[in-house]
Amino acid sequence: MKKTLSFTVPFFCLVASINFSCGGDDDGPASVSCENAVNKYTVAINAYIDDFENVNKCEAVKKALRDLIACPGLTIGQRAEYQAEVDDIECS
């Protein structure tokens, strides 16, 4: 259960920060890419929470989180925080 909580807390912070930084009236490629990354992460984390012992679902969360790290709306500090989260996730 601890792994699940470690994903969900940053998840809500991440979605909120990306929505504010990538939101607005800009519908450019970066904004769309960021929104797609958030959607993929949402799907991956929800699937993983339902089956948190599944290695493939865990790896899907890590990949989705890496994609989010590339989102242009994140600050350097946010990128470092989420990269540390990826580094701490053990899918085994």
Side-chain angles (χ1 to χ4, degrees), residues 27-64:
D27 288 333
S31 178
V32 171
S33 174
C34 188
E35 185 177 329
N36 288 340
V38 170
N39 291 337
K40 287 180 182 179
Y41 183 71
T42 302
V43 169
I45 194 68
N46 285 330
Y48 179 69
I49 288 171
D50 289 340
D51 186 11
F52 68 91
E53 292 184 6
N54 185 312
V55 174
N56 292 329
K57 290 180 181 180
C58 179
E59 291 294 340
V61 170
K62 287 178 74 167
K63 182 187 180 322

Side-chain angles (χ1 to χ4, degrees), residues 9-88:
V9 172
F11 169 70
F12 292 115
C13 297
L14 180 66
V15 171
S17 66
I18 290 175
N19 283 339
F20 288 119
S21 59
C22 294
D25 295 332
D26 182 18
D27 288 333
S31 178
V32 171
S33 174
C34 188
E35 185 177 329
N36 288 340
V38 170
N39 291 337
K40 287 180 182 179
Y41 183 71
T42 302
V43 169
I45 194 68
N46 285 330
Y48 179 69
I49 288 171
D50 289 340
D51 186 11
F52 68 91
E53 292 184 6
N54 185 312
V55 174
N56 292 329
K57 290 180 181 180
C58 179
E59 291 294 340
V61 170
K62 287 178 74 167
K63 182 187 180 322
L65 191 52
R66 284 188 196 105
D67 291 345
L68 278 172
I69 292 169
C71 179
L74 295 178
T75 66
I76 292 171
Q78 288 169 323
R79 290 175 201 268
E81 180 181 339
Y82 299 128
Q83 184 60 53
E85 183 72 23
V86 169
D87 294 343
D88 287 343

